[in-house]
Amino acid sequence: MKVIHAAIVKPGTTLVNKTGGWRTFMPECNYELCNGCGICETYCPDSVIVKDGDRYAPNLDYCKGCGICANVCPKDAITMILEGK
Ligand code: SF4
Ligand code: SF4
């Protein structure tokens, strides 16, 4: 008989395990270029971009650095930079 091991975790554990620590590149926003369209928020697969006043800002505690926000931004307001630079 084949034994399958699976991990079951409690709900909400991603709030504890800050997934931003896996990142190699991080998004950097130029708010002078940003027009506040919110497209980056819509496309972020981890829903970590939040509206902060007139701005949209990634929560870097959870951003995985995929770069999708930078690719979809119509104003080229987001640049992916090496973590720690
Ligand atoms: S997609 Fe670009 S222009 Fe639109 S809110 Fe995000 S950073 Fe600003
Ligand atoms: S790099 Fe990826 S995970 Fe991070 S804010 Fe942009 S779309 Fe979201």
Side-chain angles (χ1 to χ4, degrees):
M1 184 174 126
K2 188 173 181 180
V3 176
I4 299 174
H5 296 281
I8 300 174
V9 296
K10 293 179 186 170
T13 50
T14 53
L15 294 174
V16 177
N17 302 317
K18 294 186 174 175
T19 49
W22 307 347
R23 196 175 50 230
T24 303
F25 289 90
M26 61 180 278
E28 186 176 70
C29 301
N30 180 340
Y31 291 110
E32 292 192 4
L33 296 176
C34 173
N35 65 5
C37 67
I39 291 175
C40 54
E41 179 194 35
T42 302
Y43 279 86
C44 174
D46 292 301
S47 300
V48 300
I49 296 180
V50 292
K51 193 165 189 191
D52 178 15
D54 293 336
R55 298 175 164 184
Y56 285 86
N59 182 337
L60 295 177
D61 282 345
Y62 301 102
C63 162
K64 294 177 187 165
C66 66
I68 290 174
C69 54
N71 274 295
V72 299
C73 175
K75 302 294 286 182
D76 289 332
I78 304 175
T79 305
M80 299 304 292
I81 61 170
L82 254 183
E83 187 73 28
K85 289 280 177 182

